[in-house]
Amino acid sequence: MTTATNPKVSFHDYQPELESFRAAVLLGLAREHKQIPPKFFYDERGSQLFEDILEQAEYYIPTVEKRLYQEHAADMAQLIGRDAVLIEPGSGSCEKVQLLLETIRPAAYVPMDISGDFLRKASCDLGAAFPWLHVYAACLDFTHELRLPAAVPEGRRVVFIPGSSLGNFDLPEAQHFLFQIRQLVGKGGGLLIGVDRKKDKAVLERAYNDAAGVTADFNLNLLVRINQELEGNFDLEAFRHEAFYNEQLGRIEMHLISRKAQTVSIDGEVFRFAEGESIHTENSYKYHPQEFGTLAQAAGFQSRQMWTDAGQLFGIYYLDGI
Ligand SMILES: C[S@@+](CC[C@H](N)C(=O)[O-])C[C@H]1O[C@@H](n2cnc3c(N)ncnc32)[C@H](O)[C@@H]1O
């Protein structure tokens, strides 16, 4: 349905979370190595905390990535072509796409996100800032489906994934996700994607352990959600944030560590934690350009161009569906 204020902005709710949060938490905490998928960070507060992470000096990605879009917008637009249907899974605040919209001038923009209220607001704000733009916002879980609203016009499809969101997937999942994107854009479609590069361990670990503790709050917000939505009784003081670079696997790991032996009850089910035991909440894989190229090629993409910064911190790739 269209929003009341702007007929060019419509919101389509595919209700991504009806059953899944409860099931994922109960299942994930019953495992030998407790884990909860990162997509559940993003309720409205989680999305806002993520925006706050983007402001932290230690988190280098937004500054470096945004500068690359600013510097190379014309080249990117040429590869994408005019009047494309631009699709952004995990669009968040839709901030980065704004650096490209005037240059690309897509026929339609389709932001997709699991965080419904946040998506709704971001789409309305975008419609106000770019009155010519047709926005078809889709609230969905992109690990389940990449569904385009029926009203989206025909046209060359290009998927845009900034912020290294691909890094949250394990390798087989990343492969599957890229394959799904290749199916969505078809032969002749495109993919513009930002991917964080492997680099010095100290730089990476600083980025995920900001001094202000915002990343810690973001991580702990998962327990707040469980308490609020699933009748949990996590004591937030009894868990702490931990993030480190696992060099062997090429990924930042985020955990919530139990400060003591304790039990927690969720919706009547009881879970035991030993002192020091972790809930693994997120991975963020880092890729050498060749590693990403191989992954994308196996999913049916051919790399056309890559842009990187002088410090080789971050890579943006444009690929064609073949
Ligand atoms: C790492 S943030 C990146 C946000 C933005 N693209 C950027 O570059 O700043 C990931 C975004 O993807 C969304 N997200 C995470 N998992 C998702 C899922 N399974 N389905 C849909 N959206 C998801 C989150 O709500 C969040 O907005």
Side-chain angles (χ1 to χ4, degrees), residues 48-317:
Q48 186 51 56
L49 282 166
F50 183 76
E51 291 306 303
D52 297 344
I53 290 174
L54 300 179
E55 303 291 315
Q56 302 310 303
E58 300 92 333
Y59 194 66
Y60 55 86
I61 290 183
T63 317
V64 175
E65 188 180 18
K66 282 197 268 185
R67 195 175 307 134
L68 288 171
Y69 293 125
Q70 279 159 339
E71 284 172 5
H72 303 290
D75 286 353
M76 293 175 187
Q78 201 172 16
L79 287 162
I80 290 170
R82 276 250 162 167
D83 296 324
V85 172
L86 191 65
I87 304 156
E88 184 177 350
S91 47
S93 63
C94 303
E95 196 196 338
K96 288 171 188 160
V97 77
Q98 299 186 37
L99 301 170
L100 298 173
L101 282 174
E102 290 294 356
T103 324
I104 296 177
R105 283 271 166 170
Y109 170 62
V110 187
M112 297 174 162
D113 209 286
I114 200 166
S115 189
D117 292 339
F118 202 78
L119 173 66
R120 196 182 283 272
K121 180 171 184 316
S123 312
C124 289
D125 291 351
L126 194 69
F130 298 86
W132 52 268
L133 184 66
H134 290 267
V135 180
Y136 302 84
C139 182
L140 50 74
D141 179 346
F142 58 53
T143 61
H144 286 175
E145 58 175 355
L146 281 172
R147 192 193 315 187
L148 287 188
V152 172
E154 293 296 313
R156 182 161 181 270
R157 294 178 180 175
V158 176
V159 164
F160 175 49
I161 306 182
S164 208
S165 295
L166 185 77
N168 293 148
F169 291 112
D170 285 337
L171 286 184
E173 293 166 357
Q175 187 77 79
H176 179 71
F177 186 59
L178 287 172
F179 183 74
Q180 298 289 105
I181 289 170
R182 165 64 186 78
Q183 297 296 101
L184 181 69
V185 301
K187 193 170 171 196
L191 170 62
L192 181 68
I193 183 167
V195 182
D196 201 15
R197 298 182 63 158
K198 287 193 167 129
K199 62 182 68 66
D200 183 49
K201 186 177 162 90
V203 174
L204 283 167
E205 292 191 342
R206 252 198 318 276
Y208 291 81
N209 289 286
D210 60 276
V214 181
T215 309
D217 285 347
F218 173 73
N219 199 3
L220 284 158
N221 184 53
L222 192 55
L223 305 186
V224 177
R225 265 199 91 178
I226 295 174
N227 285 351
Q228 286 173 349
E229 296 178 34
L230 305 179
E231 293 180 52
N233 69 350
F234 276 103
D235 172 6
L236 299 191
E237 300 296 318
F239 286 84
R240 65 175 172 81
H241 162 79
E242 185 174 280
F244 60 87
Y245 188 52
N246 181 331
E247 234 160 340
Q248 206 184 351
L249 296 178
R251 68 189 194 195
I252 285 280
E253 294 186 12
M254 274 202 340
H255 297 260
L256 288 165
I257 307 288
S258 177
R259 293 182 190 271
K260 59 181 186 186
Q262 56 183 316
T263 57
V264 174
S265 135
I266 299 166
D267 201 11
E269 285 203 40
V270 174
F271 298 92
R272 282 175 212 294
F273 288 83
E275 183 179 348
E277 188 174 354
S278 104
I279 309 172
H280 190 165
T281 51
E282 188 178 70
N283 291 318
S284 185
Y285 283 83
K286 311 298 170 187
Y287 289 95
H288 285 309
Q290 318 82 276
E291 289 172 333
F292 174 68
T294 306
L295 196 69
Q297 198 173 10
F301 284 106
Q302 185 168 44
S303 188
R304 287 282 298 279
Q305 198 156 346
M306 180 205 173
W307 301 269
T308 193
D309 54 293
Q312 307 210 322
L313 295 172
F314 197 82
I316 298 174
Y317 304 77

